[in-house]
Amino acid sequence: MCGRYALYTPIEAVARLFGVSELHAHDVDARYNIAPTQEVPIVRRSPYPAAEAGAEPPRELALARWGLVPFWAKDLAIGNRMINARGETVAAKPAFRAAFRKRRCLVPADGFFEWQKTGDGKQPWYIRDAGGQPMALAGLWELWDPPEGGEPLASCAIITTGANELMRPLHDRMPVILDEAGREAWLDPAAETEQLESLLAPAPDGILEAWPVSRRVNSPFNEDPSLVEPA
């Protein structure tokens, strides 16, 4: 699974890297311990029609609550259990299938955390791109209207898949990490289900690096750069 991650690259640089033309989240602080239910940046195709007929909707960077709340949900709390969607079943699961068809997004991350079981409890590890570049995690987003009224809520989930060779000693799951071609396909409104499902695979071996970090990351109340440094 993916239950904690970091994003500290300046948001303007993230926007340039992922081809964003509309930036709706300017004041995004560096984060070293992002946890479920918090507001996070996502990259998506604009939900509004393009200005020119036949043109693709622009790519925008917006904010969404981490923990997808299906449009049909009666209670916001369901999102607390929907932080991840399994790539093997995402196209069919009632909570995710509508978003999989129509509302796919990228979740920018400089790295993510995983906990390895040891004889001395669980040891957290930090995993990032071997070149130090921000990664694009495959995600879904949804818009939910509270039954009691009020502003619609945007929420999101990160898609996971089986572990690659690096991750296997730490955990049997990992987030789906999209390369440049994969990012283009994932955000293509016309992409076919078969093409999309082919992207939901473990990251190739050799593109990631990992190291153990302080157990201070266990608490989402801790938030500073030392959390991603080698223990």
Side-chain angles (χ1 to χ4, degrees):
M1 66 174 291
C2 178
R4 211 73 67 78
Y5 70 98
L7 178 64
Y8 39 82
T9 295
I11 203 65
E12 291 80 6
V14 171
R16 289 194 299 271
L17 179 63
F18 296 135
V20 168
S21 58
E22 297 184 3
L23 185 59
H24 300 301
H26 296 275
D27 299 322
V28 178
D29 294 330
R31 297 290 311 281
Y32 299 90
N33 196 8
I34 298 172
T37 75
Q38 295 175 352
E39 201 170 52
V40 301
I42 62 171
V43 175
R44 65 184 182 186
R45 292 286 183 185
S46 171
Y48 305 105
E52 297 181 16
E56 282 193 347
R59 195 175 293 192
E60 65 177 25
L61 193 148
L63 296 175
R65 183 182 191 268
W66 185 16
L68 189 138
V69 183
F71 67 90
W72 42 258
K74 303 299 184 186
D75 187 350
L76 173 66
I78 191 174
N80 300 347
R81 307 191 304 273
M82 302 286 185
I83 65 170
N84 293 155
R86 292 178 68 92
E88 297 88 343
T89 58
V90 66
K93 284 284 187 180
F96 302 118
R97 62 190 178 197
F100 178 76
R101 289 195 302 269
K102 301 178 181 179
R103 289 176 289 278
R104 299 179 297 277
C105 66
L106 310 177
V107 181
D110 280 291
F112 60 95
F113 298 95
E114 194 51 78
W115 279 257
Q116 180 186 35
K117 292 181 180 178
T118 71
D120 188 31
K122 290 187 176 182
Q123 170 62 52
W125 286 67
Y126 183 62
I127 303 97
R128 71 168 194 176
D129 175 80
Q133 290 294 307
M135 302 179 291
L137 310 184
L140 306 172
W141 70 276
E142 190 58 271
L143 199 62
W144 178 70
D145 290 308
E148 66 277 8
E151 288 294 318
L153 174 77
S155 62
C156 67
I158 294 171
I159 301 180
T160 67
T161 186
N164 65 4
E165 184 178 0
L166 175 74
M167 288 295 302
R168 212 165 290 129
L170 309 180
H171 199 274
D172 61 355
R173 306 289 297 176
M174 68 181 299
V176 172
I177 302 169
L178 299 171
D179 61 15
E180 185 174 358
R183 298 196 292 266
E184 293 296 322
W186 189 248
L187 293 181
D188 182 358
E192 299 289 339
T193 297
E194 184 176 336
Q195 179 188 18
L196 296 170
E197 290 182 328
S198 72
L199 301 173
L200 305 181
D205 294 323
I207 73 164
L208 301 175
E209 59 184 2
W211 54 77
V213 295
S214 168
R215 294 186 182 183
R216 291 181 58 246
V217 78
N218 292 353
S219 170
F221 295 105
N222 292 326
E223 176 68 72
D224 61 76
S226 70
L227 298 178
V228 302
E229 296 173 359

